[in-house]
Amino acid sequence: MTRLSKIEEKLEELDLQREAYISKIKRIMDNNKQSEQSIPEQYESVVAFFSYSCNLTEQADEDNVIIGSLAIHNFTFDPIEQLSVCLVIETDDNYQFSGKYVTNNKQQNNQNIAANWERITDTDEQNMYWFQWVGKQPIEPFTSVAFSDFTVSWPVERSFFCSIKGFIYSENHTTGLEAMNTVSLQKVEREWE
């Protein structure tokens, strides 16, 4: 199995997992709509969580890869306006970040990428990645969007640590909401005596 087919397999697995989450959430929402009771207060919120998979290798000519998505669900009766996402990657090791987004760089504007996110590059923080939702506005009540299929890759080394936190911001959430979980990976190579 080639590296590309492994990555494609992981992406398909991740999409299936995300679709299962969305399907379950839709069933819950449909059940809540069918009942005449109002939604309990704890469900009147915006929720974000990561789903991800890792492809770790020992092959010197290949990279280790984390493939992730940050799902954002609007469980409120209000639309979300001006949604932004901040991913914070905490590591001291070298890595590369990529994803499905466009930039406002004029040299890259002629890319034919179908993306709902635009990278905001006006930050000096190297490990902070900011994205603005440029898809259909606003994000309606009881709907979901995702920053899908981003990757963090790094060369095979003796050890590696990476933690990815997610934060979402909007007109109604100016101080930010933290994702319910983080992506955390630590690869330690054992030394045998």
Side-chain angles (χ1 to χ4, degrees):
M1 184 178 273
T2 66
R3 176 166 163 58
L4 181 59
S5 62
K6 285 181 186 178
I7 291 175
E8 287 174 345
E9 184 179 295
K10 293 288 184 180
L11 285 172
E12 288 176 21
E13 182 181 311
L14 189 60
D15 283 340
L16 288 174
Q17 182 183 25
R18 184 172 47 86
E19 289 300 321
Y21 286 141
I22 291 172
S23 177
K24 185 175 181 179
I25 290 168
K26 284 181 180 178
R27 281 194 310 270
I28 292 169
M29 290 182 345
D30 287 342
N31 288 340
N32 284 336
K33 285 180 184 178
Q34 289 173 1
S35 70
E36 294 183 1
Q37 299 174 352
S38 63
I39 296 175
E41 188 174 313
Q42 73 250 29
Y43 295 114
E44 292 183 12
S45 62
V46 177
V47 175
F49 62 88
F50 286 105
S51 58
Y52 64 97
S53 64
C54 302
N55 184 21
L56 303 178
T57 182
E58 295 296 326
Q59 302 296 323
D61 61 337
E62 294 183 1
D63 287 343
N64 294 302
V65 179
I66 299 170
I67 303 167
S69 291
L70 180 63
I72 302 156
H73 301 279
N74 182 6
F75 291 125
T76 69
F77 292 102
D78 300 317
I80 298 175
E81 301 275 356
Q82 298 182 5
L83 176 66
S84 295
V85 167
C86 178
L87 299 181
V88 179
I89 301 177
E90 296 176 353
T91 184
D92 291 330
D93 300 300
N94 292 328
Y95 68 91
Q96 289 196 340
F97 177 86
S98 63
K100 292 181 181 178
Y101 58 86
V102 294
T103 63
N104 57 7
N105 185 334
K106 293 183 191 280
Q107 295 174 345
Q108 296 178 355
N109 271 347
N110 54 5
Q111 301 175 54
N112 291 329
I113 298 174
N116 288 319
W117 297 92
E118 179 180 347
R119 173 121 185 243
I120 303 168
T121 57
D122 62 352
T123 179
D124 292 333
E125 297 290 329
Q126 289 183 330
N127 293 352
M128 292 179 73
Y129 297 86
W130 286 89
F131 302 93
Q132 178 75 43
W133 173 257
V134 292
K136 183 182 175 195
Q137 297 284 348
I139 298 165
E140 296 296 331
F142 302 101
T143 59
S144 305
V145 297
F147 183 68
S148 300
D149 302 331
F150 66 85
T151 61
V152 175
S153 60
W154 66 97
V156 174
E157 296 178 353
R158 293 184 57 84
S159 62
F160 180 80
F161 169 77
C162 179
S163 174
I164 304 172
K165 294 180 180 177
F167 300 89
I168 59 173
Y169 297 85
S170 70
E171 278 188 349
N172 295 336
H173 303 94
T174 57
T175 58
L177 296 172
E178 188 169 357
M180 295 172 59
N181 62 340
T182 61
V183 177
S184 186
L185 176 78
Q186 183 171 3
K187 182 182 176 194
V188 178
E189 182 151 329
R190 293 187 204 177
E191 293 187 21
W192 300 96
E193 293 186 22

